[in-house]
Amino acid sequence: MANIKSAKKRILVTQIRADRNKAIKSGVKTAIKKVYAAIESGDKAVAAAELTAATKTIEMAGSKGVYHKNNVARKVARISKAVNEMA
């Protein structure tokens, strides 16, 4: 355990940020799963609505610094392609 006051603070701040990042990543994964679930059900309207919500969630995570911008672009491109390829 750290003895110096600033080191103790760093431990606390790191834990808070890690928890926040974990929650944001979990939300992104849930949003992506909802898109794929809508695709599996075959409902294009629902899939499009879920895509919009997921895109917003992913891009907000990127703006917070949780994901790199290229990672954000890749995630959005993959789910967009999946929705667009629905028959």
Side-chain angles (χ1 to χ4, degrees):
M1 184 64 189
N3 291 325
I4 298 168
K5 187 176 180 181
S6 61
K8 290 179 182 178
K9 180 180 177 181
R10 297 301 340 143
I11 291 169
L12 291 174
V13 171
T14 301
Q15 185 61 50
I16 289 167
R17 288 183 177 180
D19 291 344
R20 176 178 155 272
N21 290 345
K22 191 173 184 180
I24 292 171
K25 284 184 178 187
S26 177
V28 168
K29 289 176 189 175
T30 301
I32 291 171
K33 285 179 187 175
K34 285 182 179 180
V35 172
Y36 285 117
I39 291 170
E40 289 295 319
S41 71
D43 193 346
K44 181 123 181 162
V46 174
E50 292 295 342
L51 173 64
T52 305
T55 301
K56 181 178 179 182
T57 305
I58 294 167
E59 288 180 351
M60 285 181 69
S63 71
K64 301 294 182 192
V66 177
Y67 289 115
H68 188 272
K69 64 177 185 171
N70 292 354
N71 194 338
V72 170
R74 185 175 67 242
K75 287 179 186 300
V76 170
R78 284 179 178 170
I79 59 175
S80 297
K81 182 179 178 186
V83 170
N84 290 336
E85 288 180 348
M86 286 181 70

